[in-house]
Amino acid sequence: MQKIFLGILCCVLCAASQAQTVTELLRNGANGAKLNLVIIGDGFTAADQAAYNTHVNNLVRNLFNQDLFDETMDAYNIYRINANSTQSGVTRVDADGNVTTARNTALDYRYSGIWDRCWMEPGPNTATRLNNILTSLVPQYNYVFIILNETGFGGCAGGGRLAITRGTNDNDPGWTVAAHEMGHMVGLLADEYTVDCEVYSGAEPTAMNVTTNTNRNTLKGQWKNFVPASRAVPTTTGCGAAAPAGIDTDRDAGLFEGAQYTGQGKFRPVVNCRMRGNSPLFCPVCYNEMQTRVKPYRSYNFNNSYAGDFTGDGRGDLALHFGNSLALYSSDGGEMNHIFTATERVNTGGSSWQFTPGDKFYVADFNGDGKKDLFVFNGTNWGSHGPYFALLRSNGNGFDCIKRYDKLLEGWQMSAGDDFYVGDFDGDGKDDFYIVNTTNWSTKYVGMMKSTGSKMSFIKRYDNNLGAPGYWIMNKNDRFYVGDFDGDGKDDLYLANLKDWSTNYVGMVKSAGNSVSCIKVFSNTLPGWTMADNDQHFVGDFNGDGKADMYVFNGTNWNPEYLLMVRSTGNDLAYVKRYDGVIPGWEMAPNDRLYLADVNGDGKKDLYIYNTSNWDKEYLGILRSSGAALSGTWQKDWIGSWNLGGVDKLAVTNFNGGAGYDDLFIYNTNWFGMLRSNTSSLSQVYLSPNYIHNFNYHKLGWW
């Protein structure tokens, strides 16, 4: 996987003698909606610009592949300004600020290499020159990185600007210093290191990560919630005091004396954070503050969450699409861990995919390696240039785009109304798909597209009639459900049309691997059931015989509500059970939402059932299948720390692994949770507001 930054070039002449150019490296949105980071060089002549570009690319790629900068990349637009200097290198000054070596440069920056002088400093002309360039080329800038053509070490930040040397970029390669300084600029965080052992007796510092307060209950912000009750507060006292044994140096929060240059009287959150030592991770307090500061500029939310075992370890993971980004979080059974974010593009082998808000994702193991991959389709955001379809293969640590199709799939002209139904229709262990369009053309189409593991191969297309001429006549409101109803290892299709004809229909269409045949059509009735336009169908093997059966629910056409269980015989459907109004353990209501799941690992598909609007509170229930009947249990209002609500969405996945119980991801725009199946109940094991991150401890059970 490679993250690609755009290279849209815009040139502007700023002076007769010097041509300043700006290049857009990353664009996530309008400048007014994002944090605009500008990188500009000083002391680089025209002959040095290629080397400067390389330094910038290395810095940006390294920084935004690390820590929370990887996760929050969608908050930024990034620009590179090339400013030609007359002379190579920068002016040097001594400890008193006297010029020892003069250079004629674009920004007139000076380098001392002395910590007490912040390593480098602006010259008398710097502010005017820099302001003129920035306001001309990127007037809505928020932050500025200034790269000095200097081989010594150092970085200095203040007022939304960071100056850093090329030498730091070469040796580090720069990103840890830049990351530390971004903590100052973006998070308004203070340094956490000490310079001397003097006692501080002044006012409470304004930065979120330094305090004089030793009362655990009144610590600022989230700090108080990151400190376990069992941890002593203060955790260490005295200048240079050692941390207690067993402390994770950058993840376990407490009160550690010595911060913001003072050895006594000020406390930092952890032993060694990025704001103390550059290289360690941001501590919980700093990380949360950085996330909070950039949230208004992000498109991040949980609305488009996709569950699947993307890492191949047997546990259900999370792929999250937001804006023009895709993130991957792996489950360890009780928490989620960030392992990948691609902002703007994934690329490999000459193919690439540029993410947009209109992308639709389909979870599938299209190469049969045991890791779930993604099909992605966009038919709406590209005008005459699209639609587009791509195969995003999981490598266990992210996704690679291995094939992209523009406008045409083999044997198929893509259109905005295309729908994809994933299934292994030839039984080779690789997920294929049925592609359907019944709305964009006068002819209705169904295609069979086989995965070879690296591309899609056209097998067969059906025009208007599916299975046999005149047997299933396709129409615009056909519904498709994938399931192997005869147990031969090839995924078949159930179809339903309850709107387009005077008669209502349900059909069974069998896959032979390279063609399909319609083997059964039900008209107006199923065994024990009269069809109606609001019937909902749920296809799954509820009796464990290897054949995909069907639940049918209708909560609006009749009084009372009804739920039907019909099993597949391989070529027909047979009546098993119908519930009228009440299922043992659950009273049905019009707005019940059903989700197929094996809640107890017995190989039979059960149901999660959720109702947030028909009763006094919200109810989430489990309906367990014995193969011949259902029995239910329910929970009300709260599950652990999760307050059930009407905006919640559910995704079924076995995030715990092992026993094979299907659990639930539960999420809405700003919250994500994990609910573990205990066969007859659910327990909340993880909860994240605003973002997903695996902290060691949080008092309220978040993260």
Side-chain angles (χ1 to χ4, degrees):
M1 189 281 299
Q2 184 181 16
K3 291 179 185 170
I4 304 297
F5 297 94
L6 282 178
I8 302 172
L9 185 63
C10 173
C11 297
V12 178
L13 295 177
C14 293
S17 61
Q18 296 179 343
Q20 321 296 353
T21 65
V22 60
T23 301
E24 188 177 80
L25 301 181
L26 178 68
R27 185 162 188 82
N28 280 308
N31 284 5
K34 297 295 177 179
L35 296 172
N36 302 294
L37 170 62
V38 178
I39 303 171
I40 185 170
D42 192 31
F44 294 91
T45 65
D48 295 328
Q49 294 303 316
Y52 165 72
N53 292 347
T54 299
H55 293 309
V56 172
N57 290 342
N58 288 339
L59 174 62
V60 170
R61 290 181 188 277
N62 283 312
L63 178 62
F64 284 93
N65 272 297
Q66 308 290 340
D67 204 1
L68 65 80
F69 299 106
D70 180 15
E71 300 172 54
T72 61
M73 196 191 312
D74 66 304
Y76 297 90
N77 293 328
I78 304 177
Y79 299 88
R80 185 190 73 228
I81 292 179
N82 290 74
N84 289 332
S85 292
T86 301
Q87 292 180 291
S88 185
V90 295
T91 296
R92 285 178 168 258
V93 296
D94 62 19
D96 297 318
N98 300 313
V99 173
T100 58
T101 304
R103 294 285 188 273
N104 185 358
T105 64
L107 300 180
D108 191 33
Y109 240 89
R110 282 96 193 280
Y111 177 73
S112 67
I114 300 170
W115 183 88
D116 282 341
R117 296 191 68 87
C118 203
W119 306 101
M120 66 273 296
E121 59 202 75
N125 301 307
T126 299
T128 299
R129 293 181 183 181
L130 183 60
N131 183 68
N132 289 343
I133 295 173
L134 292 173
T135 55
S136 173
L137 298 181
V138 192
Q140 289 180 288
Y141 72 91
N142 299 98
Y143 306 118
V144 181
F145 279 12
I146 301 165
I147 309 293
L148 304 188
N149 191 9
E150 163 60 49
T151 58
F153 176 84
C156 184
R161 297 175 184 174
L162 161 67
I164 192 171
T165 67
R166 175 176 64 82
T168 303
N169 194 30
D170 285 338
N171 300 326
D172 192 37
W175 74 266
T176 59
V177 174
H180 171 98
E181 300 299 344
M182 286 282 278
H184 292 310
M185 291 195 299
V186 179
L188 305 183
L189 301 171
D191 288 316
E192 294 179 10
Y193 51 83
T194 59
V195 177
D196 54 49
C197 289
E198 292 182 359
V199 176
Y200 177 78
S201 58
E204 172 70 4
T206 58
M208 186 60 68
N209 62 322
V210 178
T211 187
T212 61
N213 180 17
T214 58
N215 183 337
R216 73 169 66 241
N217 297 317
T218 58
L219 288 172
K220 61 179 72 172
Q222 287 288 332
W223 193 337
K224 58 181 174 293
N225 294 321
F226 287 124
V227 182
S230 60
R231 187 160 297 144
V233 172
T235 314
T236 65
T237 57
C239 187
I247 290 286
D248 188 314
T249 57
D250 56 18
R251 297 182 65 197
D252 286 342
L255 260 74
F256 298 85
E257 193 164 28
Q260 206 174 19
Y261 324 123
T262 301
Q264 299 180 72
K266 288 184 181 178
F267 296 84
R268 63 190 187 275
V270 298
V271 174
N272 192 15
C273 170
R274 174 151 288 146
M275 299 311 297
R276 181 175 174 89
N278 286 8
S279 296
L281 298 175
F282 283 108
C283 72
V285 174
C286 294
Y287 181 98
N288 182 72
E289 185 66 10
M290 291 287 284
Q291 283 275 13
T292 301
R293 294 277 181 180
V294 300
K295 181 175 174 55
Y297 306 96
R298 302 193 65 195
S299 53
Y300 186 95
N301 61 63
F302 300 115
N303 289 333
N304 297 311
S305 293
Y306 302 88
D309 180 10
F310 299 107
T311 59
D313 64 355
R315 300 186 179 97
D317 309 307
L318 173 69
L320 182 62
H321 176 228
F322 52 96
N324 60 343
S325 300
L326 181 72
L328 177 61
Y329 301 88
S330 66
S331 170
D332 63 11
E335 293 179 306
M336 303 302 292
N337 299 278
H338 174 265
I339 58 174
F340 166 88
T341 295
T343 291
E344 208 163 62
R345 298 189 186 190
V346 289
N347 175 82
T348 188
S351 293
S352 67
W353 183 268
Q354 183 173 341
F355 299 108
T356 75
D359 291 345
K360 296 179 181 178
F361 293 85
Y362 304 86
V363 176
D365 180 7
F366 60 66
N367 63 353
D369 67 352
K371 295 186 282 287
K372 289 295 186 183
D373 312 300
L374 292 169
F375 294 129
V376 57
F377 173 68
N378 194 304
T380 59
N381 282 13
W382 302 104
S384 61
H385 299 288
Y388 294 104
F389 179 87
L391 285 72
L392 306 185
R393 181 181 60 201
S394 172
N395 58 36
N397 295 303
F399 296 97
D400 300 316
C401 181
I402 63 167
K403 185 70 175 177
R404 191 186 77 199
Y405 297 87
D406 303 358
K407 293 186 179 179
L408 296 175
L409 284 164
E410 184 180 320
W412 186 276
Q413 182 179 340
M414 289 186 284
S415 186
D418 290 347
D419 288 320
F420 300 81
Y421 298 89
V422 173
D424 178 10
F425 59 60
D426 61 356
D428 68 350
K430 302 180 183 74
D431 281 332
D432 316 301
F433 60 77
Y434 297 95
I435 184 170
V436 176
N437 195 306
T438 62
T439 58
N440 286 116
W441 316 101
S442 57
T443 300
K444 319 302 181 189
Y445 296 104
V446 172
M448 300 175 71
M449 302 295 297
K450 171 183 169 58
S451 173
T452 68
S454 59
K455 67 175 185 176
M456 302 308 298
S457 178
F458 174 76
I459 300 298
K460 194 171 182 66
R461 193 187 75 199
Y462 293 88
D463 303 357
N464 284 332
N465 298 310
L466 185 62
Y471 210 81
W472 183 275
I473 301 174
M474 290 183 271
N475 215 327
K476 64 179 180 179
N477 288 302
D478 286 351
R479 304 178 193 166
F480 293 77
Y481 308 93
V482 176
D484 178 10
F485 58 63
D486 58 1
D488 67 351
K490 303 181 183 73
D491 279 326
D492 311 302
L493 287 171
Y494 284 105
L495 288 93
N497 194 304
L498 309 173
K499 293 186 181 296
D500 292 317
W501 313 101
S502 58
T503 300
N504 293 324
Y505 295 102
V506 168
M508 300 172 71
V509 175
K510 173 180 170 57
S511 173
N514 56 9
S515 64
V516 296
S517 57
C518 187
I519 64 171
K520 183 76 175 182
V521 174
F522 300 88
S523 303
N524 280 334
T525 62
L526 292 168
W529 187 269
T530 300
M531 298 182 209
D533 60 350
N534 289 308
D535 287 353
Q536 301 174 42
H537 305 89
F538 303 89
V539 171
D541 178 12
F542 61 62
N543 60 4
D545 66 353
K547 302 182 182 72
D549 311 306
M550 183 183 289
Y551 293 102
V552 187
F553 173 69
N554 194 305
T556 56
N557 286 109
W558 316 103
N559 187 14
E561 301 79 20
Y562 292 95
L563 179 68
L564 174 71
M565 300 171 69
V566 284
R567 65 178 178 85
S568 173
T569 67
N571 55 19
D572 203 346
L573 291 174
Y575 177 82
V576 175
K577 186 82 172 176
R578 192 186 76 198
Y579 293 93
D580 303 358
V582 176
I583 300 167
W586 184 271
E587 183 177 349
M588 287 184 280
N591 294 315
D592 287 348
R593 293 150 51 185
L594 281 65
Y595 304 83
L596 282 165
D598 181 359
V599 302
N600 54 5
D602 65 355
K604 303 181 181 73
K605 285 297 184 183
D606 313 297
L607 292 169
Y608 285 111
I609 189 163
Y610 194 30
N611 193 299
T612 64
S613 59
N614 290 120
W615 309 103
D616 61 329
K617 294 291 184 180
E618 300 84 4
Y619 289 80
L620 180 54
I622 297 174
L623 304 180
R624 296 177 303 282
S625 172
S626 68
L630 294 171
S631 59
T633 53
W634 52 263
Q635 290 162 274
K636 176 181 177 181
D637 197 14
W638 291 83
I639 297 179
S641 298
W642 188 278
N643 185 198
L644 301 174
V647 296
D648 294 342
K649 301 177 183 178
L650 305 179
V652 175
T653 188
N654 175 18
F655 63 67
N656 195 37
Y661 292 21
D662 280 337
D663 312 299
L664 287 175
F665 290 150
I666 186 167
Y667 57 96
N668 53 54
T669 299
N670 292 315
W671 291 80
F672 176 85
M674 300 166 69
L675 304 181
R676 177 174 295 160
S677 171
N678 304 307
T679 300
S680 59
S681 66
L682 289 156
S683 56
Q684 177 252 316
V685 298
Y686 184 76
L687 184 64
S688 294
N690 300 319
Y691 59 84
I692 292 175
H693 188 73
N694 187 358
F695 293 114
N696 274 1
Y697 174 82
H698 191 277
K699 178 181 179 181
L700 302 179
W702 299 347
W703 304 300

